Amino acid sequence: MNDNEYFVSGHKACAGCSVPILVRWVLKIAGPDTFVVNATGCLEVFSTPYPYTSWKVPWIHTAFENSAATATGIDASIKRKGLLNAHIIVFAGDGATSDIGLQALSGMAERGNDVLYIMYDNEAYMNTGIQRSSATPYGAWTTTSEIGTENLIGKKEKKKPITDIMVAHNIPYAATVNIAFFNDFKDKIKKALGIKGTRFINALAGCPTGWKHDPSKTVEVMKLATRTGIFPLYEVVNGQMRITYRQDPRIPVGDYIKVQGRFKHLQNNHAVIDEIQKNVDSWWSKY
Amino acid sequence: MYKVMKGNEVTAYAAMLSSVDVIPAYPITPSTLFPEKISELIANGEMNATFIPTESEHSAISVAIGASASGSRVMTATASQGLAYMHEMLAIASGMRLPIVMAIGNRAISAPLNIWNDQQDSIDERNSGWIQLYAENNQEILDLTIAAFKISENEKVHLPVMICMDAFLLTHTMEAINIPDKKEVTDFIGKNTTNRIILDTEKPATLGSFASPEYYTEFRHQVTVAMEAANSVIFDIFSDFKKRFNRNYDVVEPYRLDDAELIFVSMGAVSGTIKDAVDVLREQGKKAGLLRLVAFRPFPSQQIKKYLSMDVKIAVIDRNVTPGYDGSVLYAELRSILYDSDFKPEIIDFIAGLGGRDMTIDDFIKIYTLAMEMNADSNHIVWEQLKPLGEDVS
């Protein structure tokens, strides 16, 4: 862990945003020999309002859907210069990864470029104002899964299993991380940085603005996401899956749902909460 | 050394001679032979470059941007739908001032799907902030590509360049090419000095930040200033090229303009056919000439004014369409810059050769005759060879 800071304060993130915590600590682990590629999104906008920057490592943003391809270009370029040990880290949101950027990410994983791709998953298009993405969970309100007389549930589709999709590319390392479980997070980032090839990390990213909770409660809400089993912590090394955190017994999902305004409409909808509980239990029954 | 090569192969050779570091590419007709040839040159040890076959054109240009932003010399090739798919990234490449070179096999835009030649694809990208040079033959493809690296890496310019070559007419046509020694080319272009801000862990920089209304206009203006500067930089680089390789280029090429009564204006390979038509017409005592545009961006306004602000008729050969406007792009731009000239020539737009429809010497002789018969009341927008609706086109 490096004592220096490579992502510095003064940026414009919302109060209570979890993303700066994630980025700051990833870079403290990776150190100065690191290139960062950032997809269009909250992080890019709040950290680089010209002429300011929060980044003390080389950083590039080009567009929304192509961070994996941009990173491929840097990988090719620095290898030709003999920089064989520098890190290339992508930070991209769930929309930039699971939706619009899936093609480029799949292409990079197939080519096996030496890139650590970190998806910060705040579970919606937060930068454009809380629109649903394929990573938005079942039952969540967003501005494009509105609640009304004809829709009492919110988002009616399940979250896209992006980590499974990346594991299916036979990449050497994939993991889920949650900064509220810091040691687990730190160990996985370290491990991922020590492996060659394309590595994928799905980082839960609490968002008080979009999840509708008090900005002081971000870490608590994120803890609940994992303790309820909704966001399990695991890693897949060369195809071998290992659960890295086990809560026994798991906290009921209702405890996670009731602290977030995006699930307000479900508070008394026991059928939907039971369904979400059943889905979580069904996933865990395999592990 | 002379070699007989197709236009696409010439493009690949130009990349090799220019010591390109990184080549991302995605296959598309009629440019596919470019990545094929690159793959072959690297496989047999003739070329030392990193070839990245991508999963789309959007990713090909994105890889190019990432590689160029970290200091590599980069080239790719595409056409038509592939170029349209890259559209978003083109303005990002120029806005980030990256010296990328891209070969365009000029091909029609869908729908209907058509793989043959016109210039709609690159003309549609005229606002992308890329320099556009149009080749007339395969030797020009080689020479303009080599020059393009030197132009794009010039610190007054730092803009990407498209080398446009007509589908099949150039991309797949064999011609004997005079290939310079690699050392001569290296001496001409110079080292990839990266006299620009790049991604570098020793000197961390933030590239591609977001700019509020307070700053955005100035960034766009700087691209325009660089494009204007490119005009004289191109002239100087072409002069240097002539000294070293003894082949002469300019942003426009005048052909038999002396005392001309009708001047064709065109870009690309069709210009060769027009030159033949001009020769035939001159033999018949008819005073025809040609002004060929080599550069379309930056638009060679001063040179065009120099040759065309006189009492002549002009027949523009427009290989593109802009529906909803009176006449196509080359016509509109030409008319616009001649608006404030002392002599306003009569300009007629011939929308011609779309989607690979053949244009022969006879067609241009007919165009000459038609144009000379026109008066001020005539319709000055002509769809050349347009068939009546319902006619069997088989």
Side-chain angles (χ1 to χ4, degrees):
Chain A
M1 188 84 69
N2 204 300
D3 287 338
N4 295 324
E5 300 289 344
Y6 302 100
F7 183 81
V8 299
S9 58
H11 53 71
K12 298 182 169 191
C14 301
C17 177
S18 67
V19 177
I21 308 172
L22 171 78
V23 172
R24 176 182 171 220
W25 286 100
V26 166
L27 291 184
K28 281 174 81 75
I29 297 165
D33 206 9
T34 300
F35 295 83
V36 170
V37 181
N38 199 169
T40 307
C42 290
L43 174 61
E44 170 255 335
V45 171
F46 74 61
S47 68
T48 69
Y50 184 85
Y52 305 106
T53 183
S54 287
W55 302 85
K56 298 180 90 170
V57 289
W59 177 96
I60 187 169
H61 155 257
T62 64
F64 197 4
E65 69 281 55
N66 65 343
S67 294
T70 306
T72 297
I74 296 169
D75 184 35
S77 191
I78 65 173
K79 287 235 165 65
R80 289 190 67 81
K81 291 182 193 168
L83 286 172
L84 301 179
N85 295 315
H87 303 300
I88 301 171
I89 302 176
V90 172
F91 291 104
D94 48 290
T97 304
S98 290
D99 289 348
I100 198 168
L102 188 59
Q103 173 184 302
L105 176 58
S106 177
M108 179 180 79
E110 185 266 335
R111 290 187 297 268
N113 292 101
D114 277 336
V115 175
L116 170 57
Y117 190 106
I118 300 178
M119 174 180 88
Y120 63 96
D121 186 6
N122 51 27
E123 303 195 310
Y125 290 94
M126 298 309 185
N127 189 45
T128 45
I130 323 171
Q131 292 79 33
R132 62 88 85 187
S133 76
S134 62
T136 302
Y138 173 73
W141 162 88
T142 68
T143 57
T144 53
S145 57
E146 275 290 1
I147 312 301
T149 54
E150 305 304 311
N151 181 3
L152 302 172
I153 294 171
K155 193 196 176 207
K156 293 177 178 171
E157 303 80 20
K158 283 187 197 164
K159 192 176 170 75
K160 188 187 275 188
I162 186 67
T163 311
D164 295 348
I165 291 167
M166 294 316 295
V167 168
H169 283 74
N170 295 324
I171 55 175
Y173 190 80
T176 60
V177 303
N178 182 341
I179 49 160
F181 295 79
F182 192 80
N183 284 335
D184 180 78
F185 155 78
K186 188 185 69 186
D187 290 347
K188 285 170 178 168
I189 299 295
K190 261 190 192 161
K191 191 183 246 182
L193 286 168
I195 296 170
K196 292 285 179 194
T198 299
R199 294 136 285 157
F200 179 79
I201 284 186
N202 175 355
L204 185 70
C207 170
T209 308
W211 295 8
K212 304 290 178 200
H213 60 71
D214 190 282
S216 68
K217 304 290 183 203
T218 303
V219 172
E220 284 175 40
V221 173
M222 288 175 72
K223 273 186 181 155
L224 280 172
T226 293
R227 290 191 168 146
T228 53
I230 286 176
F231 188 82
L233 295 178
Y234 61 88
E235 66 179 6
V236 185
V237 184
N238 295 319
Q240 292 301 308
M241 200 261 207
R242 183 175 73 90
I243 300 285
T244 60
Y245 178 84
R246 215 174 267 280
Q247 175 83 22
D248 196 17
R250 289 190 299 279
I251 293 169
V253 296
D255 288 13
Y256 176 68
I257 286 168
K258 74 181 179 200
V259 295
Q260 300 176 62
R262 63 174 171 160
F263 297 118
K264 194 171 60 183
H265 56 287
L266 298 181
Q267 300 304 333
N268 298 312
N269 192 336
H270 299 294
V272 171
I273 294 175
D274 286 351
E275 197 185 339
I276 294 170
Q277 184 68 61
K278 223 175 74 187
N279 286 336
V280 169
D281 293 346
S282 154
W283 190 90
W284 279 95
S285 71
K286 289 180 269 178
Y287 304 101
Chain B
M1 177 184 64
Y2 276 87
K3 253 189 141 160
V4 176
M5 281 195 274
K6 296 175 185 170
N8 276 331
E9 291 177 286
V10 174
T11 308
Y13 261 81
M16 180 179 70
L17 293 172
S18 305
S19 305
V20 171
D21 299 303
V22 179
I23 301 172
Y26 186 80
I28 184 169
T29 304
S31 295
T32 309
L33 191 54
F34 172 77
E36 286 177 353
K37 193 73 196 173
I38 292 291
S39 175
E40 181 190 318
L41 289 170
I42 292 173
N44 66 22
E46 284 181 73
M47 183 175 189
N48 173 16
T50 303
F51 172 51
I52 302 169
T54 58
E55 83 295 337
S56 75
E57 288 93 350
H58 194 285
S59 282
I61 187 69
S62 298
V63 171
I65 287 169
S68 181
S70 36
S72 286
R73 188 175 279 167
V74 184
M75 181 167 179
T76 184
T78 192
S80 183
Q81 303 307 114
L83 184 61
Y85 192 26
M86 288 181 179
H87 172 79
E88 172 197 30
M89 300 313 298
L90 297 179
I92 292 172
S94 63
M96 294 179 79
R97 310 298 298 278
L98 300 174
I100 297 165
V101 173
M102 176 157 62
I104 308 297
N106 281 122
R107 166 186 152 184
I109 287 283
S110 295
L113 189 137
N114 174 296
I115 59 165
W116 292 275
N117 169 233
D118 63 37
Q119 294 167 340
Q120 189 79 51
D121 50 1
S122 55
I123 286 178
D124 277 353
E125 301 301 344
R126 66 194 179 281
N127 300 327
S128 65
W130 285 59
I131 291 168
Q132 289 192 358
L133 305 175
Y134 287 76
E136 184 188 324
N137 54 50
N138 288 359
Q139 185 68 56
E140 277 193 27
I141 293 173
L142 184 88
D143 295 348
L144 293 178
T145 305
I146 290 167
F149 287 102
K150 196 171 171 68
I151 295 164
S152 67
E153 288 171 18
N154 184 290
E155 61 190 353
K156 287 182 194 155
V157 180
H158 281 167
L159 288 175
V161 182
M162 288 182 201
I163 302 299
C164 302
M165 60 199 76
D166 291 292
F168 300 107
L169 298 178
L170 297 183
T171 59
H172 288 62
T173 300
M174 309 269 264
E175 282 189 291
I177 306 302
N178 185 349
I179 299 177
D181 289 341
K182 186 163 180 190
K183 194 188 169 304
E184 288 179 273
V185 176
T186 306
D187 290 347
F188 168 66
I189 302 177
K191 270 213 158 103
N192 180 15
T193 52
T194 62
N195 50 355
R196 55 194 171 95
I197 297 167
I198 60 164
L199 297 172
D200 181 354
T201 50
E202 301 291 318
K203 283 187 284 177
T206 290
L207 304 184
S209 56
F210 104 93
S212 62
E214 203 180 345
Y215 299 102
Y216 180 82
T217 303
E218 286 66 32
F219 279 102
R220 298 297 287 169
H221 182 248
Q222 282 174 24
V223 172
T224 305
V225 169
M227 195 59 93
E228 282 164 11
N231 227 323
S232 60
V233 169
I234 291 170
F235 180 84
D236 293 343
I237 287 173
F238 282 166
S239 304
D240 187 17
F241 188 93
K242 184 178 188 306
K243 269 186 237 149
R244 290 163 187 266
F245 301 102
N246 201 29
R247 287 189 292 278
N248 195 19
Y249 296 102
D250 197 353
V251 289
V252 297
E253 184 201 7
Y255 185 77
R256 299 188 82 165
L257 291 189
D258 293 344
D259 70 4
E261 289 171 356
L262 181 127
I263 299 174
F264 291 97
V265 175
S266 68
M267 303 196 292
V270 76
S271 311
T273 310
I274 298 175
K275 285 175 186 171
D276 287 345
V278 165
D279 291 345
V280 171
L281 287 163
R282 287 275 177 174
E283 274 169 33
Q284 296 169 357
K286 293 167 182 165
K287 292 174 179 173
L290 166 71
L291 187 70
R292 174 171 74 99
L293 273 57
V294 177
F296 179 58
R297 285 292 182 275
F299 200 68
S301 304
Q302 293 313 314
Q303 292 85 347
I304 289 172
K305 277 185 193 169
K306 181 177 135 193
Y307 289 112
L308 296 186
S309 62
M310 55 179 108
D311 188 15
V312 290
K313 282 195 176 186
I314 294 173
V316 177
I317 308 302
D318 247 322
R319 316 220 32 228
N320 68 93
V321 188
T322 174
Y325 190 82
D326 294 332
S328 285
V329 172
L330 194 49
Y331 167 79
E333 296 198 349
L334 207 65
R335 265 187 119 203
S336 174
I337 61 145
L338 292 172
Y339 181 80
D340 57 2
S341 62
D342 297 336
F343 295 95
K344 289 194 182 59
E346 185 182 342
I347 310 176
I348 306 144
D349 194 18
F350 290 89
I351 298 168
L354 300 184
R357 187 163 297 181
D358 204 13
M359 298 289 295
T360 64
I361 293 172
D362 282 348
D363 293 321
F364 291 108
I365 291 171
K366 277 182 208 154
I367 285 174
Y368 173 89
T369 308
L370 184 63
M372 292 308 284
E373 284 167 359
M374 282 186 176
N375 58 43
D377 296 330
S378 306
N379 179 8
H380 279 52
I381 314 295
V382 182
W383 279 72
E384 172 66 11
Q385 296 185 30
L386 185 68
K387 296 171 187 169
L389 271 182
E391 184 176 318
D392 184 2
V393 292
S394 62

